[in-house]
Amino acid sequence: MIEIIFLAIALSMDAFAVSLTISVSNPKQIQKMALLAGLYFGIAQGLMPLFGYLGGVAIFGWLGEYTQWIAFILLLIIGIKMVYEALTSSPEKGVTSKKYSHHALLMLAIATSIDALAAGFSLTLMSINGIYACIIIAIITFLFSYAGVLMGRSSSVWLGNKAEIFGGVVLIFLGFKVLI
């Protein structure tokens, strides 16, 4: 259970970082944007690992003894990618416009949840129910995204990059834990 919570927090960091910038661009509609961001990001982050989990069940059945190494490599690559992107991008990464339409939020939700698709493969190695894990990931991402929009109003955007670095480091540690 604790691994799922850490995984959910790590995966939600991209959405949290983008959510921080949403309120900076839309200061008059904070509550509405917080709810929309939470819903879009939460649903996307919950569905993507489910797709990865279901694909992982089929694929890992064929790969047998190499499954732990595959999960380790995937989590390591995702974690390193998150840290690298946080260190090399501007705080406004992912912000495509000042006005966040439903289409823009959907595109941002999909873009920030691609990592969760790959991380979903690793769920097959944990002795948990994959659907249960995806629900937890969706709820935690909703909460982080909702809070991110509200926090973005009063904090500076620099927090977004630090959140992504934290998420990447957690994914790297989870990758090593899979090998143990």
Side-chain angles (χ1 to χ4, degrees), residues 14-175:
D14 277 350
F16 177 71
V18 172
S19 296
L20 286 169
T21 67
I22 289 173
S23 62
V24 172
S25 300
N26 298 288
K28 294 182 182 179
Q29 299 178 346
I30 296 296
Q31 291 298 327
K32 177 183 176 185
M33 292 310 298
L35 182 60
L36 286 174
L39 288 173
Y40 275 98
F41 292 132
I43 290 170
Q45 290 282 14
L47 286 177
M48 288 294 203
L50 180 61
F51 297 147
Y53 172 76
L54 295 174
V57 169
I59 291 171
F60 285 162
W62 296 333
L63 299 176
E65 64 190 57
Y66 301 107
T67 56
Q68 288 179 307
W69 286 101
I70 292 169
F72 165 72
I73 291 168
L74 284 173
L75 289 170
L76 188 67
I77 289 170
I78 295 166
I80 291 170
K81 177 183 158 281
M82 282 179 71
V83 171
Y84 174 77
E85 287 178 354
L87 293 174
T88 61
S89 67
S90 67
E92 289 83 21
K93 177 190 98 162
V95 178
T96 57
S97 73
K98 293 288 183 186
K99 185 175 180 183
Y100 288 92
S101 66
H102 289 284
H103 181 262
L105 285 172
L106 178 62
M107 293 299 106
L108 287 170
I110 291 170
T112 59
S113 64
I114 296 298
D115 296 352
L117 177 67
F121 285 110
S122 68
L123 292 176
T124 59
L125 297 175
M126 299 178 186
S127 57
I128 51 114
N129 181 326
I131 294 172
Y132 174 71
C134 292
I135 291 170
I136 291 173
I137 291 168
I139 291 169
I140 289 177
T141 302
F142 172 85
L143 294 173
F144 270 85
S145 300
Y146 187 89
V149 173
L150 297 179
M151 289 174 60
R153 174 178 43 180
S154 60
S155 68
S156 63
V157 179
W158 65 267
L159 184 58
N161 287 351
K162 290 182 179 24
E164 285 184 87
I165 292 169
F166 172 75
V169 169
V170 169
L171 287 177
I172 292 167
F173 282 122
L174 285 173

